[in-house]
Amino acid sequence: MSSSAREDALSSMEIVEPGKTSAVDRLVDQIREMISERGLGIGDALPTERDLGEQFQTGRNTVREALQVLRAFGMVETRPKVGAVISGGHGEAIRRLFAFHNGISPDSFRDLQGFRRIIETGIGEHIILTASEADFDRLDKINTRILEAESVEAAARCDYEFHSAIVELSGNRTTLAAYHMLRSVIEEVMRLGKTERPVHAATFETHAEIVRALRARDRIAYVYLMSRHLEFGIRFVDAAPRGQPL
């Protein structure tokens, strides 16, 4: 067995100690950072497996497993004669899953907000126990951007970034990745709500209340405020028959 083959075999047999990140997970993060730093967009090709291995000093098997993870999340797809390229298909696939014709159905809205409630209220206790004042300062800073939004679409993006930053404080990359996969449909729900009630100051103040509850380490207040916030939009869909688009 050659030295390179032996290295690949050993990398695929890596034993991960509890609390430590595997080589594959580390490489996934490194590739995602590289994509961001290089400004790669949908359809742009990634370096070859060999080039990735040399760049990040890791074995070919580890590279292949990392690319499989990125494919599973819909971030990367393989094209003939090109190799791995950045994919934009995951957002559209999920949008179609939750959408019905030209709108989001009331049932889909309830399912989506139920998913968000499980995630965003469930991580409250962890955030209260582990987050720092600097983390809360960052949430406040992100929240102020919504006051500067010049359109409904921009306000929806700012709204999403605030909630995404809260999910990020869970410290769980799988949870954050799942939340990011739903970005397009979450932003669409936020956009619909802001079209009906385009008062950005109200969203800003609601977010500020949520941050104050976190700063006070008040789990009950946080869960109540977040749940109330996520339930707000249901008034815009209750008028429509169940299973019908908005």
Side-chain angles (χ1 to χ4, degrees):
M1 181 183 292
S2 67
S3 60
S4 61
R6 187 179 300 108
E7 179 185 344
D8 284 344
L10 288 174
S11 69
S12 67
M13 295 170 59
E14 178 187 27
I15 298 175
V16 181
E17 297 178 16
K20 292 192 175 182
T21 305
S22 73
V24 173
D25 285 342
R26 287 195 298 273
L27 183 56
V28 168
D29 286 343
Q30 289 171 322
I31 293 174
R32 291 175 64 183
E33 289 174 5
M34 178 197 71
I35 292 171
S36 177
E37 290 171 358
R38 296 187 182 183
L40 299 180
I42 295 172
D44 290 338
L46 291 177
T48 64
E49 291 181 0
R50 180 177 179 178
D51 289 342
L52 288 171
E54 291 178 355
Q55 178 177 344
F56 297 112
Q57 296 295 298
T58 190
R60 183 68 65 85
N61 285 350
T62 301
V63 172
R64 288 173 178 168
E65 290 183 32
L67 291 175
Q68 287 176 355
V69 171
L70 292 170
R71 289 189 191 97
F73 279 116
M75 297 179 63
V76 167
E77 63 184 54
T78 301
R79 294 182 182 174
K81 299 181 181 181
V82 178
V85 300
I86 307 300
S87 171
H90 68 286
E92 177 61 19
I94 291 173
R95 189 197 67 77
R96 288 198 302 267
L97 176 65
F98 279 90
F100 185 81
H101 295 305
N102 294 319
I104 296 175
S105 73
D107 287 339
S108 294
F109 178 90
R110 293 181 180 92
D111 286 344
L112 175 67
Q113 296 302 79
F115 166 83
R116 292 183 61 198
R117 187 178 300 107
I118 291 171
I119 297 296
E120 296 186 51
T121 61
I123 62 178
E125 185 168 359
H126 177 82
I127 294 174
I128 286 170
L129 291 174
T130 62
S132 66
E133 288 299 314
D135 291 325
F136 301 142
D137 289 343
R138 178 171 176 263
L139 290 178
D140 278 333
K141 184 176 181 180
I142 293 172
N143 188 30
T144 59
R145 296 174 189 166
I146 200 167
L147 296 177
E148 303 166 358
E150 297 181 353
S151 67
V152 168
E153 289 73 18
R157 286 195 297 272
C158 293
D159 198 351
Y160 174 85
E161 288 168 3
F162 175 82
H163 286 270
S164 177
I166 287 180
V167 175
E168 186 177 354
L169 290 179
S170 71
N172 188 299
R173 287 176 299 172
T174 300
T175 300
L176 182 60
Y179 198 85
H180 283 335
M181 288 179 70
L182 288 166
R183 175 167 188 158
S184 61
V185 71
I186 291 174
E187 282 194 10
E188 178 66 8
V189 166
M190 292 172 169
R191 187 191 67 79
L192 288 172
K194 288 169 176 50
T195 299
E196 295 289 338
R197 188 172 182 269
V199 182
H200 304 335
T203 302
F204 168 82
E205 182 53 37
T206 299
H207 287 176
E209 285 184 316
I210 289 170
V211 178
R212 286 195 290 269
L214 289 173
R215 286 187 187 275
R217 313 288 172 173
D218 189 335
R219 183 181 63 84
I220 294 175
Y222 168 78
V223 170
Y224 168 73
L225 291 168
M226 181 61 78
S227 296
R228 186 183 67 177
H229 182 42
L230 294 177
E231 289 171 0
F232 174 78
I234 199 67
R235 68 186 64 188
F236 302 132
V237 300
D238 272 342
R242 292 180 67 85
Q244 295 299 314
L246 301 183

